[in-house]
């Protein structure tokens, strides 16, 4: 058969693959490889077998070739076959010996003589070494060696910033702390044309910066445009309405407590892309905060139908919200041991997520083990030093240990770390600060904080009670009586979401509503205050 006829058959194989006709691709690729014995054609045959899910046959073909240990493409595809077969140890063995340091630098690879037969060299390709590092990371993660998985994922993204999957695993599986994420991003060597990608990645990592910093990042990406010409008409496109970018922005709104804005954005996004899973999760969280029970029920039904194998701890052990929700459910029922089990598992699986450690501290605080609670809150602060909730909890512990000056310091740091302007979400911390000032007999400062809290939310009965009691201690009986009446005339259900959940259950568990001190007993008796 002439060379041009063989080349036409190669084109048939490529066309079959593009049309997902894998049996046809396997048939013709087999004939081409038999006619030529060319390594490139053998690789094409193995690729067709892999895409047709004939993993054993593809691996046997690759392993039988003499080039498998010398061509990185052969070795990588053979390892991918073993990945699909869940033979993780053999997968690592096929990828070869290599070591990686804590910064993601690979050395001692013993691969100085390997080849990489480029398919065509026309399109921009992801570095094969990056793909191999990523596969090593997946194998180690499957073997539950998450420490090694983390290092190899870092190596993959450092070898080639275009290997998005490596960064996704590091972020979604909470393998890095805030500081480590920022450090990794700054170490990546982007091409001159990849400035937009660097900006996009900076929006994907944990977003605890000040509001103006985060908004500037979003604006920078939104300005990125692509001018193209089709049918003699010129079009200008941008990333402003990109679904991934909008999902990042919605996640940031939820984190800042702007639930209505978050819900409106995710609603629009889900109309455009109803199966965007990351957006779906943020949408559910916002719907819960806003009390949209019908929306939650409909979304739950759709998720069970569309994703039956996802997002439960038995089906997807790397889904952090499921483990934290598991602990929260038991904590709400005061099943402390089971709650701790869920939180400790989450802390082990997701070392870059501070919430499991934070909730362990909340459980200890619920049982009045304040020293232990403080230790875990400090650990959470080490993991994520920018989350205001961590500082609020440290203030709560200091208050309970009667270290009121220390409590004031922590509450002031809490307010300083809030990324946006103060809203209803931060009202409990302002009230906490007022309580601490009151304990220090700094009544003017306490009254100022109580009044500030009322401008954020006028539905909190403990604020009225604290304000009345502070005036009472100042012998300003007229003002005290006024606020005592407001306290007694108020609807207790308006304040129950704060007082019951924080006092009885050890703190709000979703990180969106901060702990308010004094619980259902917003003030003590005059005798207690004098003591």
């Amino acid at each position: 058969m002439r060379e041009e006829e063989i080349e036409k058959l190669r084109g048939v194989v490529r066309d079959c693959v593009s049309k997902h006709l894998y049996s046809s691709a396997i048939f013709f690729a087999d004939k081409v490889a038999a006619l030529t014995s060319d390594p490139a054609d053998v690789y094409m045959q193995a690729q067709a077998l892999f895409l047709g899910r004939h993993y054993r046959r593809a691996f046997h073909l690759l392993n039988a070739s003499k080039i498998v240990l010398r061509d990185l493409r052969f070795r990588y595809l053979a390892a991918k076959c073993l990945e699909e077969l869940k033979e993780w140890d053999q997968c690592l063995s096929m990828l070869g010996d290599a070591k990686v340091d804590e910064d993601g630098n690979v050395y001692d690879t013993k691969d100085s003589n390997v080849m990489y037969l480029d398919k065509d060299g026309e399109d921009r390709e992801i570095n094969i070494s990056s793909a191999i590092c990523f596969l090593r990371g997946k194998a180690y993660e499957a073997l539950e060696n998450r420490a090694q998985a983390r290092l190899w994922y870092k190596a993959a993204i450092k070898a080639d910033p275009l290997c998005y999957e490596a960064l996704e695993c590091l972020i979604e599986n909470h393998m890095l702390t805030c500081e480590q994420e920022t450090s990794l991003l700054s170490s990546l060597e982007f091409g001159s044309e990849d400035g937009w990608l660097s900006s996009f990645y900076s929006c994907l990592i944990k977003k605890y910066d000040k509001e103006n910093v985060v908004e500037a990042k979003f604006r920078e990406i939104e300005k990125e445009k692509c001018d193209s010409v089709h049918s003699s008409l010129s079009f200008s496109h941008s990333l402003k309405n990109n679904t991934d970018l909008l999902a990042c922005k919605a996640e940031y709104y939820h984190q800042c407590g702007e639930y209505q804005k978050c819900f409106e954005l995710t609603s629009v996004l889900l109309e455009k892309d109803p199966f965007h899973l990351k957006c779906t999760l943020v949408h559910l969280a916002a719907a819960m905060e806003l009390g949209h029970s019908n929306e939650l029920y409909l979304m739950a039904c759709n998720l069970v139908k569309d994703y039956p194998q996802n997002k439960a701890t038995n089906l997807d052990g790397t889904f952090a919200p499921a483990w934290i929700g598991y602990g929260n459910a038991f904590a709400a029922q005061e099943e402390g041991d089971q709650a701790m089990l869920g939180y400790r598992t989450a802390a082990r699986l997701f070392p870059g997520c501070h919430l499991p450690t934070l909730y362990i501290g909340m459980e200890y605080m619920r049982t009045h083990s304040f020293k232990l609670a403080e230790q875990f809150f400090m650990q959470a602060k080490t993991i994520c030093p920018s989350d205001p909730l961590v500082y609020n909890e440290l203030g709560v512990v200091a208050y309970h240990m009667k270290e009121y000056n220390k409590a004031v310091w922590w509450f002031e740091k809490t307010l300083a770390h809030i990324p946006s302007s103060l809203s209803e979400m931060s009202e409990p911390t302002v009230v906490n600060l007022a309580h601490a000032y009151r304990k220090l007999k700094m009544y003017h400062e306490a009254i100022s904080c109580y009044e500030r809290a009322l401008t954020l939310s006028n539905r909190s009965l403990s604020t009225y009670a604290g304000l009345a009691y502070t005036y009472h201690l100042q012998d300003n009986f007229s003002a005290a009586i006024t606020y005592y009446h407001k306290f007694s005339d108020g609807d207790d259900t308006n304040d129950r979401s704060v007082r019951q959940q924080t006092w009885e259950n050890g703190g709000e568990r979703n990180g969106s509503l901060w702990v308010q001190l004094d619980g259902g007993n917003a003030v003590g008796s005059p005798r207690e205050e004098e003591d």
Side-chain angles (χ1 to χ4, degrees), residues 194-252:
D194 294 330
W196 70 272
L197 186 61
S198 174
S199 300
F200 209 116
Y201 281 178
S202 70
C203 289
L204 294 176
I205 64 176
K206 295 182 177 71
K207 296 173 279 292
Y208 287 99
D209 292 325
K210 286 293 185 181
E211 182 179 28
N212 60 326
V213 177
V214 178
E215 292 289 352
K217 290 180 181 179
F218 286 128
R219 284 195 299 272
E220 185 178 353
I221 300 174
E222 290 170 354
K223 287 190 297 185
E224 190 70 31
K225 291 185 177 180
C226 175
D227 295 324
S228 59
V229 178
H230 293 287
S231 304
S232 73
L233 295 175
S234 178
F235 296 92
S236 181
H237 305 277
S238 76
L239 294 173
K240 185 174 183 179
N241 295 317
N242 177 261
T243 53
D244 286 341
L245 183 62
L246 292 176
C248 283
K249 189 175 284 191
E251 192 175 38
Y252 175 68

Side-chain angles (χ1 to χ4, degrees), residues 392-411:
N392 186 81
E393 298 304 301
L394 285 165
V396 172
V397 167
Y399 183 97
H400 282 303
M401 293 192 293
K402 299 185 178 181
E403 298 175 355
Y404 301 121
N405 282 309
K406 191 175 178 181
V408 166
W409 187 77
W410 284 120
F411 292 139

Side-chain angles (χ1 to χ4, degrees), residues 13-269:
V13 174
R14 289 191 289 269
D15 185 60
C16 288
V17 169
S18 69
K19 291 182 169 66
H20 308 286
L21 301 171
Y22 299 127
S23 292
S24 298
I26 292 169
F27 176 82
F28 290 109
D30 174 66
K31 307 308 175 284
V32 172
L35 287 167
T36 67
S37 297
D38 187 312
D41 291 327
V42 173
Y43 180 81
M44 183 174 67
Q45 181 187 1
Q47 187 83 292
L49 288 167
F50 180 86
L51 293 171
R53 300 186 179 183
H54 299 283
Y55 305 121
R56 288 281 182 201
R57 188 179 172 193
F59 176 73
H60 176 76
L61 176 66
L62 292 163
N63 204 33
S65 68
K66 297 179 181 179
I67 201 175
V68 67
L69 296 178
R70 294 187 293 119
D71 186 340
L72 286 178
R73 280 193 308 155
F74 275 65
R75 184 190 298 181
Y76 177 68
L77 185 55
K80 287 292 290 182
C81 292
L82 293 169
E83 175 200 13
E84 295 295 337
L85 295 169
K86 311 299 181 187
E87 297 180 1
W88 301 110
D89 289 317
Q90 294 91 323
C91 176
L92 288 170
S93 178
M94 176 56 66
L95 291 172
D97 294 327
K99 297 184 184 296
V100 61
D101 64 20
E102 189 63 34
D103 295 322
N105 301 311
V106 182
Y107 60 98
D108 190 25
T109 61
K110 300 179 182 178
D111 282 341
S112 57
N113 296 321
V114 298
M115 301 181 297
Y116 175 54
L117 303 180
D118 197 319
K119 300 191 296 294
D120 45 46
E122 294 179 0
D123 295 327
R124 186 178 179 186
E125 295 184 351
I126 291 180
N127 189 319
I128 187 68
S129 298
S130 175
I132 288 174
C133 289
F134 176 69
L135 186 51
R136 279 196 181 101
K138 291 191 71 175
Y140 277 116
E141 187 172 10
L143 292 170
E144 298 189 2
N145 188 341
R146 294 176 65 84
Q148 278 294 308
R150 173 174 56 85
L151 297 180
W152 283 111
Y153 288 147
K154 287 173 68 174
I157 190 69
K158 289 191 73 172
D160 192 336
L162 296 182
C163 188
Y164 166 74
E165 288 177 87
L167 183 67
E168 183 180 42
C169 286
L170 289 169
I171 294 174
E172 296 300 320
N173 295 341
H174 300 280
M175 291 185 165
L176 302 176
T177 64
C178 293
E179 193 174 314
Q180 289 171 337
E181 286 183 353
T182 304
S183 175
L184 175 63
L185 196 59
S186 65
S187 71
L188 300 184
E189 298 179 0
F190 292 94
S192 57
E193 70 275 28
D194 294 330
W196 70 272
L197 186 61
S198 174
S199 300
F200 209 116
Y201 281 178
S202 70
C203 289
L204 294 176
I205 64 176
K206 295 182 177 71
K207 296 173 279 292
Y208 287 99
D209 292 325
K210 286 293 185 181
E211 182 179 28
N212 60 326
V213 177
V214 178
E215 292 289 352
K217 290 180 181 179
F218 286 128
R219 284 195 299 272
E220 185 178 353
I221 300 174
E222 290 170 354
K223 287 190 297 185
E224 190 70 31
K225 291 185 177 180
C226 175
D227 295 324
S228 59
V229 178
H230 293 287
S231 304
S232 73
L233 295 175
S234 178
F235 296 92
S236 181
H237 305 277
S238 76
L239 294 173
K240 185 174 183 179
N241 295 317
N242 177 261
T243 53
D244 286 341
L245 183 62
L246 292 176
C248 283
K249 189 175 284 191
E251 192 175 38
Y252 175 68
Y253 287 150
H254 180 269
Q255 188 173 285
C256 292
E258 299 185 29
Y259 304 121
Q260 186 59 42
K261 189 184 288 188
C262 172
F263 184 79
E264 290 172 358
L265 182 57
T266 54
S267 297
V268 172
L269 201 160

Side-chain angles (χ1 to χ4, degrees), residues 333-402:
Q333 300 298 319
E334 298 191 8
E335 294 284 348
D337 292 340
Q338 290 295 323
M340 282 292 202
L341 177 63
Y343 295 144
R344 290 187 189 280
T345 302
R348 176 175 59 82
L349 293 175
F350 315 109
C353 182
H354 67 293
L355 292 177
T357 306
L358 184 67
Y359 295 150
I360 291 172
M362 287 182 177
E363 274 301 299
Y364 278 124
M365 189 161 63
R366 187 177 66 84
T367 59
H368 298 169
S369 301
F370 299 126
K371 283 293 182 184
L372 280 172
E374 185 178 40
Q375 290 176 18
F376 279 96
F377 291 149
M378 291 301 291
Q379 288 180 29
K381 186 172 87 69
T382 302
I383 297 170
C384 185
S386 306
D387 186 358
L389 178 59
V390 176
Y391 295 94
N392 186 81
E393 298 304 301
L394 285 165
V396 172
V397 167
Y399 183 97
H400 282 303
M401 293 192 293
K402 299 185 178 181

